Amino acid sequence: MKLVRFGKAGSEKPGIVDADGVIRDVSSLVTDFAGDALNPRNLAKLKKVDLKSLPAVRKGTRLGSPVARPGNFIAVGLNFADHAAETGATPPKEPILFNKAPNCVQGPNDDIVIPKGSKKTDWEVELAIVIGKKALYVEEKDALSYVAGFCICNDISEREFQAERGGQWMKGKGSPTFGPLGPWLVTPDEIKDVQNLKMWLELNGKKVQNGSSNTMIFGCAHLVSYISQFLQLDPGDVITTGTPPGVGLGMKPPKFLKAGDTMRVGIDGLGEQNQKVVAWKA
């Protein structure tokens, strides 16, 4: 299934994309795509519903994040071998983890706002994992059974805040609008091989990232298992898993986002995002 949340920001309703690409309103069946509603057992029940019997959502309706605001928004750094190489970093021996602010989550096509004082706002197409049931001390062989689905994340990053202001990376990772998710949350049964998905990002119509999840250093199952050794993952938590090469920081000379730029972001089977970059205003 392809799960969506649609409507005005803060008032989204749950929907499912039917076989014809039409979004069907499932708010009569589930309150929101959050918490226990994301348990794979409950999603399996939704899969049996006759979507054609449910109201169609008007084409062009805004899409929000396909999962409600997460309790945890965990990110993995330098997790693609080719991206580590472009930054000159040594590939990590264990996953590098940091937090993104849960309130930076937004819809896939909402504007990206350059933060106040920013000079180095950057882009990162990423594959995001959404947890479907409580996960603690999970074995890698069982890890994907705890996953509700996968979606696109554009892990927007302010590189000066991240690397030049001391402390942890999260300074450059959590500004408002820095976590667009969607358009859909795709259930695992629709993805043949999550470790072999093409990933790309276009900036102003030019493809700048063109990679694959097959160059991840630590795969999705390993990450869910690994993170669960240190904290409890709850339904709706998001793990964004790293980016392939082609970010602005790695260019020679480096290139960063400016007001008026546009981005088109895609991953095989997970849809596309389209964003406009705007300046921060008081």
Side-chain angles (χ1 to χ4, degrees):
M1 292 184 295
K2 295 180 176 68
L3 313 180
V4 301
R5 295 171 68 251
F6 63 91
K8 294 181 179 179
S11 302
E12 292 92 347
K13 293 182 178 181
I16 297 177
V17 182
D18 71 17
D20 297 320
V22 176
I23 297 173
R24 299 288 175 168
D25 184 341
V26 298
S27 59
S28 62
L29 304 175
V30 59
T31 303
D32 203 354
F33 288 133
D36 197 49
L38 292 168
N39 188 297
R41 179 187 63 253
N42 292 328
L43 293 181
K45 293 178 182 178
L46 275 180
K47 189 175 182 180
K48 298 177 181 178
V49 171
D50 177 13
L51 294 177
K52 300 287 186 179
S53 68
L54 297 173
V57 176
R58 181 175 57 85
K59 190 174 182 179
T61 298
R62 173 190 174 271
L63 295 181
S65 163
V67 61
R69 175 173 168 172
N72 286 303
F73 192 176
I74 300 165
V76 184
L78 296 175
N79 191 36
F80 280 65
D82 38 7
H83 172 57
E86 80 169 337
T87 65
T90 301
K93 295 181 179 179
E94 293 192 37
I96 297 171
L97 306 179
F98 59 91
N99 292 320
K100 288 179 72 74
N103 63 3
C104 79
V105 168
Q106 65 171 15
N109 305 317
D110 294 342
D111 290 346
I112 302 298
V113 179
I114 296 176
K116 181 181 179 180
S118 168
K119 298 177 181 177
K120 297 181 179 181
T121 298
D122 204 349
W123 58 84
E124 294 188 10
V125 57
E126 302 204 2
L127 170 66
I129 302 165
V130 177
I131 298 299
K133 58 184 180 180
K134 182 176 74 174
L136 183 65
Y137 305 126
V138 171
E139 293 188 31
E140 185 169 339
K141 65 182 178 62
D142 302 320
L144 294 185
S145 70
Y146 290 79
V147 172
F150 303 93
C151 63
I152 299 169
C153 175
N154 190 355
D155 177 21
I156 304 296
S157 310
E158 211 300 338
R159 302 303 189 185
E160 181 188 11
F161 299 174
Q162 175 186 354
E164 301 173 34
R165 298 290 297 272
Q168 298 187 6
W169 287 5
M170 63 178 292
K171 287 182 180 179
K173 294 286 190 170
S175 294
T177 78
F178 272 27
L181 299 177
W184 318 308
L185 177 63
V186 181
T187 52
D189 58 293
E190 291 210 3
I191 301 174
K192 183 177 180 180
D193 182 1
V194 74
Q195 297 303 153
N196 192 31
L197 301 177
K198 292 180 181 178
M199 307 169 63
W200 50 267
L201 185 147
E202 293 179 358
L203 177 65
N204 300 325
K206 179 181 178 182
K207 189 170 284 186
V208 291
Q209 288 191 273
N210 189 20
S212 170
S213 60
N214 64 21
T215 66
M216 289 172 65
I217 298 169
F218 306 106
C220 293
H222 182 85
L223 291 173
V224 172
S225 173
Y226 181 85
I227 294 168
S228 79
Q229 308 307 309
F230 303 100
L231 55 89
Q232 177 178 297
L233 294 165
D234 290 325
D237 284 353
V238 175
I239 303 168
T240 189
T241 61
T243 196
V247 300
L249 179 67
M251 294 182 174
K252 299 186 184 338
K255 183 181 181 68
F256 299 110
L257 295 170
K258 62 183 185 304
D261 284 343
T262 60
M263 288 179 286
R264 185 168 167 251
V265 189
I267 298 179
D268 277 359
L270 302 184
E272 295 182 8
Q273 301 182 350
N274 290 274
Q275 295 135 6
K276 180 180 178 182
V277 180
V278 300
W280 180 83
K281 292 183 180 178

